[in-house]
Structure formats: structure tokens, C-alpha cells
Amino acid sequence: MPVGDFEEWRTELLAMGRIVLAGEGGVTEEEAVRRFDRYLELADMVDGSEGPAAVRALIASLQVDQDYGAYQAGFGALERFPSMDLARGVALAAAEVVSIPSGNSGQVLLLLADSDDEAVREFNAAGSNMEPAVKDQLSALIAEHERDEWLDGEPCGRLRVG
């Protein structure tokens, strides 16, 4: 990983992932811009060699609905991972996938559904190791995204954790 300390990077990524506007919670414009820019820097540090734990951290960082474009760097970082690392990381992040805003989870699941068949099979098989409640929530979320815009059409039916 291009960063020296994974835990330090992950902790800062999660903190900066809470994108705010100036004035929200007393945050100044300068501080809001600094956090936004730092999130971009942290996401851009990823080269795809960091493994599933970094995929999980990136997914967990997608915390708010209104990111003002910052999360495009996070999604771009996710695209740099080999498909198997992406699949394993999304499976590791199942609890985070079901808790982040719907548009963000839809985009993550679409990246995975558009991966190669081997990666999709890996993700689907990982469902047997998930906690039952998380597995049920993830199955429901996938079904919701298949009914809506994210996974309708060609990706529909590819992701199954049940």
C-alpha cells in the first residue's frame, strides 16, 4: 500500500468520509474544503494492491448521501482492485454495504456485478459465512437494487448471498 500505516490511513479515511458542508456542525468553509480534499487524497493513495481490507475501508467511508462528488475518488479506488479482492472486500464489508446510503451501496454492488464470473461466484459463496441478519439484509438490498436502477438489466440475478 502506498501509505505507511494501514490503520492510520483507514482511520483518517473514515473520518474524512463524513463529508460536510460549511456551516454544518460549526464546520468552517476552510475545514469543509480541507476534509473534502483530504478524502480525495486518501482515496487516490490506493493502487489496488492493498487487498480486501482496503476495499472494506473504502466502502465504510461512503457514509453520507450528499458527498458533493468526493466519493467518485472512492469508487475510482475500488475500480483499481483485482476482481477477486473486490469480491472478498465487498463480502467482508457486508455490514457496511447494508448501512451506507442506498445510492452508494448500489454503486458498490454494480461494480461487483459487472466483475468477472469468478469474482461474482466468490462473493456469492461468501454469503454462507455471513451473519444471518446481515445476509438477510444484504439479500433484501440486492433485491431492492434489482427492482430499481442499480442492478436492473444485465447485472440482475448475478449477486446472490442466500
Side-chain angles (χ1 to χ4, degrees), residues 80-100:
R80 291 191 286 274
F81 285 89
S83 61
M84 292 300 281
D85 283 351
L86 178 65
R88 291 177 182 131
V90 174
L92 278 174
E96 289 88 352
V97 171
V98 299
S99 67
I100 62 177

Side-chain angles (χ1 to χ4, degrees), residues 33 49 58 157:
V33 168
S49 68
L58 285 161

Side-chain angles (χ1 to χ4, degrees), residues 102-126:
S102 181
N104 298 338
S105 66
Q107 197 159 348
V108 166
L109 293 171
L110 180 60
L111 284 172
L112 179 59
D114 283 343
S115 292
D116 59 72
D117 292 342
E118 184 181 12
V120 170
R121 281 192 299 274
E122 177 80 11
F123 172 78
N124 291 345

Side-chain angles (χ1 to χ4, degrees), residues 16-99:
M16 297 301 109
R18 288 188 294 275
I19 306 297
V20 295
L21 276 177
E24 287 182 16
V27 174
T28 65
E29 183 174 343
E30 294 79 19
E31 179 63 12
V33 168
R34 185 194 72 76
R35 290 182 189 182
F36 181 96
D37 290 344
R38 185 62 179 152
Y39 180 83
L40 299 181
E41 291 171 6
L42 292 164
D44 286 345
M45 288 178 184
V46 172
D47 67 9
S49 68
E50 298 83 3
V55 170
R56 183 180 190 177
L58 285 161
I59 292 168
S61 77
L62 306 171
Q63 303 167 42
V64 298
D65 274 320
Q66 297 298 323
D67 63 284
Y68 312 101
Y71 291 163
Q72 290 311 307
F75 294 121
L78 290 172
E79 291 175 352
R80 291 191 286 274
F81 285 89
S83 61
M84 292 300 281
D85 283 351
L86 178 65
R88 291 177 182 131
V90 174
L92 278 174
E96 289 88 352
V97 171
V98 299
S99 67

Side-chain angles (χ1 to χ4, degrees), residues 2-16:
V3 296
D5 181 334
F6 177 79
E7 281 305 313
E8 185 178 303
W9 172 83
R10 185 188 68 76
T11 299
E12 189 176 6
L13 180 75
L14 295 176
M16 297 301 109

